[in-house]
Structures are given as structure tokens and as C-alpha cells.
Amino acid sequence: MDSLLLSSFSTPSVLSKGGNNWRRCNLKNVEFPGSYVAYNVSRLRVWKVREKPCSAVFQPSSLKHCAKGSETFVFYQRPNERFLVKAAGGQPLESEAKNDMNSAKDALDAFYRFSRPHTVIGTALSIVSVSLLAIEKLSDFSPLFFVGMLEAIVAALLMNIYIVGLNQLYDIDIDKVNKPYLPLASGEYSIQTGVMIVASFSILSFGVGWLVGSWPLFWALFISFVLGTAYSINVPLLRWKRFALVAAMCILAVRAVIVQLAFFLHIQTHVFKRPAVFSRPLIFATAFMSFFSVVIALFKDIPDIDGDRIYGIRSFTVRLGQKRVFWICISLLEIAYTVALLVGASSGFLWSKVVTVLGHTILASILWTNAKSVDLSSKAAITSFYMFIWKLFYAEYLLIPLVR
């Protein structure tokens, strides 16, 4: 949209266009007191020119629209100052609002990708599932329980975004090869923006944990912070992701141990004020998720083999090959499902026995069927299957509260 901004002086006259020049004249039926000087405004700067001097300063009653032939003017007025914006080219100024809406959508989409949503969903589901293990009777479903669970979810999600964001900050070059759609790798986010988000979310997470006053929750956040930082940050003796075994142990410690034990104890001891106990379902959840966490730690590197090899990340996939690691992961999950079947079959509750045995049988069958059809030469196919494993991860957390 071609535009013109006219600013006022004291002598009553206005400007109109003649050929390629602007001249002073009077516009009939259009009252703009004062004299105006024309300023050409570029196509990309129009909205900013309107927005900054007008939206924050002028009252709604001082905005006027008028038309002169095919030309549209918007007049803004405040004491001793007048601004006239001319919109030409047949495009209304309101179309700029659509551009702002699109910009907002793009910003939300970038943050969505930056937060690694599959990990956010996994964290939220795991906390809900483990919290339900502390339920002993129907009356435990109280506002106190839901508030305590929500506090844990908020604090953990803030820390989750800190961890995945920090990893992206130190993996920009690698992600340009492996995950070019991430905001830092694509250039949508500057390094300064990434640092600001990561620092803010870590502070907010600890702030929530401190305000809640739950020691299990606070220690869960602190240990996750330490391991997540050591995993990614590139300083001597750290950046543990370079070492396959240590990297897997970091993920196992957070996903399998911290999540199960710390968040269960948060509900059990802080919310319900009960003594700490390690029940059969809790032990099962910790053991099963240990298998699953190792699988996620191994499998996530299979589609990333190119960037890891270039930048010296000695993952198991780089060392052993994609096919071998793929089938190690499938075997570990099938072993975990077999153990889950045995645990379910030994339950003293018929409903729990039926649901857990049937549920794990179905999941094991789906896993095997899908694994056989994966094209290991296709990065897209491997990545898609990796996201399928996360769906199995979610499904398991739906079954864990039913293990009794």
C-alpha cells in the first residue's frame, strides 16, 4: 500500500497530488484545518507510522475517515498537532491489522516449535498419572489435590522449556542439519531471544517451586536443572550429550526416576501430608519408564545421525548404525511390555488385571506391526516412527494409574 503522512503547521491549507508532485490546495467537503507537509512512507513502514503516534496518544473521538474520489484519508488530531495519512492503491488500512494477526500467529507457532511440544505433553501426562497413584480413596479427589497437581505441572513445564531451549541454544549448527525447522536454527529467533526465554523460564520454574514450598517438587526441579544444563552446555567436563551412555543416563534419571518418585512424593507428603511409601504401582512405573526412557534416549539420535556425525556427537547410532540401534529399541520396549503383562496378570483386582494385560498386549502388537514397516533409509519415516514411540509413551501413562 502506497501511503503519505502529512504533518500540520499553522496556515490553513492542505496538499493534493498533481502528477508526480504534491501541491497545496483546498479539498472540497474535506475539512483538515492547518497546513501540511508531505512525507513519503515506505510500503513496509506504514503501519508503524500510524500505530506509534496515533494508537498510544490520540483518543478514539479524534480519528476521522474520509474519501476524495478513489483516495482515502485518515485524519488524527490532538491539541496543537494534526496528522493526515493518505492510503492509495485501493488497499484499506485495515488490511494492516491482518498482517499483525499473522505476525502473532507466526510468533506462537515459533514458540510452539521451540518448546518441543511432544516433551511438554509427555511431562504433563506423566505428572497427572503419577499423582493419581497417590489416590487411596474417592475423597482424595479434592480441590487440594488438583491445586497441588497443577502447581507441579506448571513448575515442571517451565523447567521443561528451559531444558529443551538450552539444548537448542547449544545445538544451533547441528540443528541446521538435523532440525532446520526449529526457530533458532532457522533464524526466526536470535540467540538473544533464545537466552531471554531460557533464563526467564528457569527463574519462573524455581519461583513457582519456592512459592509452593514442597521440598520434593523443589528437588525435582533442581536436579532436572542440573542434569539438563550438564547435558547441553558446552564447557569443559560438561556437554554430556557427547557421550552416549552418560546422555542416556541423564534422560533416564529425569524421565524415569525424578518424575515418578519426586512428583509422587509431592502429592503424598506435601499435599496429603501422608508418610512416604513406595507402593507396587510406583515401583512398576519407575521400572517400566526406565526401559522407556532408555529407548527414547537411544531412538532420538537415529534420525539425527548426519548432524551428530559431522559435529562429533558420538551417539550409539553413530557408533553402531541406525538399523542396529532401531532394533535394540524395539526389543527393549517389547521386553518392557512383557514384564508389564506379568505384573498385570499378578494383580489381585480383576478389573486391573483385565485392563493392564489387554492394554499392554495391544500396545506391544501395534509396536511390532509398525516397526516391521519402517523404511530405515528414510529420515522422514524414522522421525515419524520416533513420534509414534512418544504416543506409546503417552498411552503407558494412561495405563499406569490402573496398575494395582
Side-chain angles (χ1 to χ4, degrees):
M1 180 178 69
D2 297 326
S3 299
L4 179 78
L5 181 63
L6 304 174
S7 65
S8 76
F9 289 89
S10 57
T11 307
S13 63
V14 296
L15 292 175
S16 68
K17 189 174 183 181
N20 293 323
N21 300 311
W22 287 86
R23 60 185 176 81
R24 295 176 187 270
C25 68
N26 293 320
L27 291 176
K28 295 180 180 180
N29 302 323
V30 181
E31 295 182 1
F32 293 112
S35 176
Y36 300 89
V37 175
Y39 296 89
N40 286 321
V41 181
S42 70
R43 185 181 301 269
L44 295 177
R45 298 292 182 88
V46 174
W47 176 255
K48 292 183 180 179
V49 171
R50 288 186 60 228
E51 184 182 48
K52 289 183 179 178
C54 302
S55 63
V57 177
F58 295 95
Q59 299 299 319
S61 60
S62 64
L63 185 149
K64 300 178 182 179
H65 294 268
C66 62
K68 175 71 174 177
S70 62
E71 298 179 335
T72 302
F73 297 86
V74 182
F75 179 68
Y76 300 93
Q77 181 175 357
R78 67 176 178 182
N80 302 321
E81 293 185 77
R82 300 180 180 88
F83 294 86
L84 176 66
V85 176
K86 171 184 173 293
Q91 297 183 18
L93 291 171
E94 286 77 4
S95 65
E96 300 294 342
K98 295 180 181 179
N99 292 335
D100 278 3
M101 290 182 63
N102 290 334
S103 296
K105 290 179 182 178
D106 290 342
L108 288 174
D109 177 66
F111 182 75
Y112 176 81
R113 285 177 279 122
F114 181 80
S115 67
R116 309 295 280 145
H118 60 282
T119 66
V120 169
I121 296 170
T123 298
L125 271 178
S126 62
I127 294 173
V128 171
S129 180
V130 171
S131 297
L132 290 172
L133 294 180
I135 297 292
E136 295 179 357
K137 51 187 182 293
L138 209 55
S139 60
D140 286 340
F141 287 105
S142 62
L144 187 67
F145 166 76
F146 289 107
V147 169
M149 183 172 66
L150 183 61
E151 290 170 342
I153 291 173
V154 171
L157 292 186
L158 291 170
M159 184 57 67
N160 189 101
I161 293 174
Y162 161 77
I163 292 171
V164 298
L166 185 71
N167 187 58
Q168 290 173 65
L169 277 171
Y170 283 93
D171 276 4
I172 293 176
D173 290 334
I174 298 175
D175 286 339
K176 286 178 180 179
V177 178
N178 292 336
K179 304 179 184 77
Y181 54 86
L182 294 178
L184 284 166
S186 67
E188 292 173 84
Y189 279 0
S190 66
I191 293 177
Q192 291 79 5
T193 299
V195 169
M196 182 187 68
I197 294 173
V198 164
S200 300
F201 275 72
S202 64
I203 293 169
L204 287 171
S205 179
F206 280 119
V208 172
W210 184 261
L211 289 174
V212 170
S214 167
W215 281 110
L217 175 59
F218 185 82
W219 281 109
L221 298 175
F222 180 75
I223 296 172
S224 298
F225 174 85
V226 170
L227 293 178
T229 302
Y231 179 88
S232 297
I233 195 169
N234 192 11
V235 299
L237 302 180
L238 298 181
R239 193 157 173 78
W240 292 348
K241 69 178 296 176
R242 294 176 297 170
F243 313 106
L245 183 60
V246 179
M249 294 305 296
C250 284
I251 295 173
L252 184 149
V254 174
R255 287 286 175 190
V257 180
I258 299 301
V259 168
Q260 320 309 317
L261 300 184
F263 290 107
F264 172 82
L265 291 175
H266 164 69
I267 299 295
Q268 180 77 1
T269 63
H270 176 75
V271 176
F272 289 149
K273 309 297 183 185
R274 294 170 182 161
V277 294
F278 295 94
S279 61
R280 182 173 180 267
L282 180 63
I283 295 170
F284 164 77
T286 304
F288 188 94
M289 284 304 165
S290 295
F291 276 87
F292 226 122
S293 299
V294 170
V295 168
I296 287 175
L298 296 177
F299 206 102
K300 72 179 185 62
D301 295 326
I302 298 178
D304 294 345
I305 187 171
D306 293 333
D308 289 351
R309 183 181 286 129
I310 293 170
Y311 289 97
I313 304 297
R314 298 289 294 167
S315 65
F316 280 112
T317 303
V318 171
R319 295 162 64 183
L320 303 177
Q322 289 178 304
K323 183 175 181 179
R324 190 172 178 184
V325 174
F326 177 88
W327 286 108
I328 287 174
C329 291
I330 301 303
S331 300
L332 287 174
L333 281 182
E334 293 293 354
I335 291 171
Y337 284 132
T338 301
V339 173
L341 285 172
L342 297 176
V343 172
S346 64
S347 173
F349 300 90
L350 180 60
W351 61 269
S352 177
K353 183 179 298 188
V354 171
V355 172
T356 54
V357 169
L358 184 60
H360 288 108
T361 300
I362 292 173
L363 293 179
S365 301
I366 293 174
L367 171 64
W368 186 255
T369 302
N370 281 269
K372 291 190 297 182
S373 63
V374 175
D375 179 8
L376 295 177
S377 63
S378 168
K379 181 176 179 177
I382 296 173
T383 302
S384 177
F385 192 82
Y386 174 60
M387 300 312 299
F388 167 72
I389 286 180
W390 273 95
K391 292 175 183 177
L392 294 178
F393 182 82
Y394 305 153
E396 187 58 35
Y397 272 118
L398 298 178
L399 289 174
I400 282 175
L402 304 177
V403 176
R404 297 292 170 177

